[in-house]
Amino acid sequence: ETGVTQTPRHLVMGMTNKKSLKCEQHLGHNAMYWYKQSAKKPLELMFVYNFKEQTENNSVPSRFSPECPNSSHLFLHLHTLQPEDSALYLCASSPGTSGYEQYFGPGTRLTVT
Amino acid sequence: DQQVKQNSPSLSVQEGRISILNCDYTNSMFDYFLWYKKYPAEGPTFLISISSIKDKNEDGRFTVFLNKSAKHLSLHIVPSQPGDSAVYFCAASAGAGSYQLTFGKGTKLSVIP
């Protein structure tokens, strides 16, 4: 039990669909993150939220829209995705955003058809 | 350009022997380094970290060594166990207040019984 849960674990969607990924952390952390892991590539940071405020957007296309209603929940809203967006999407949390190890969820395996 | 490099995609080690996983970095601003372990269908799990003010950190069977002049760190696992078989990621962070972890591509360790 990592303390960070993600749903769904697998998602197949068409390019015209709208879907959302959900992340919840039970660790009392203040910071939450979205990462993308594509095949043969390192984990890429997408978004950072600290105390519900977005502090980082790593040039992510607008078809990915994050939402952080509170420090325990993080969403990634998806719309009009491309096949190259197929990847493992990982959520993580940490006590703060400074020099703390991050705790990851199991990820959502997304396939865009 | 990759700032954190794990040049060995895979490593096989006999059970009971030492496993040595290597990581090189190029950014002189990195001052905090972490190792994560990832099993299939799970998110990365924090394993051990080291600050740039140290050159060694030990936790049970796991030891991380940092050579700042060479911009190189390594993870030693002694003795290796079959349950250690996983993908190991090296990650680095730059400075207090930095939340961005830069990851390597990972090394797949197989411990042979």
Side-chain angles (χ1 to χ4, degrees), chain B residues 4 17 20 31-32 43 49 73 97 100 105 110:
Chain B
V4 176
R17 306 293 290 269
I20 300 176
D31 64 355
Y32 190 69
S49 63
L73 65 155
Q100 180 141 355
K105 289 185 178 181
S110 299

Side-chain angles (χ1 to χ4, degrees), chain A residues 7-23:
Chain A
T7 54
R9 295 294 307 273
H10 300 271
L11 178 63
V12 179
M13 61 185 289
M15 289 190 284
T16 58
N17 291 159
K18 288 185 180 181
K19 297 285 184 183
S20 296
L21 309 185
K22 179 183 176 182
C23 175

Side-chain angles (χ1 to χ4, degrees), chain A residues 9 33 35 37 40-43 45 48 55-56 58 88 90 97-107, chain B residues 2 4 32 34 36 38 41-46 49 89 93 95-105:
Chain A
R9 295 294 307 273
Y33 310 77
Y35 285 88
Q37 186 178 27
K40 308 294 184 187
K41 288 188 176 182
L43 273 74
L45 180 65
V48 181
T55 56
E56 183 75 12
N58 264 5
L88 180 68
L90 290 158
T97 52
S98 171
Y100 295 103
E101 53 267 20
Q102 296 174 16
Y103 295 80
F104 285 82
Chain B
Q2 271 194 272
V4 176
Y32 190 69
L34 308 91
Y36 282 84
K38 185 181 185 301
E42 295 183 14
T45 303
F46 170 72
S49 63
F89 293 96
S93 173
S98 172
Y99 42 74
Q100 180 141 355
L101 292 182
T102 302
F103 285 84
K105 289 185 178 181

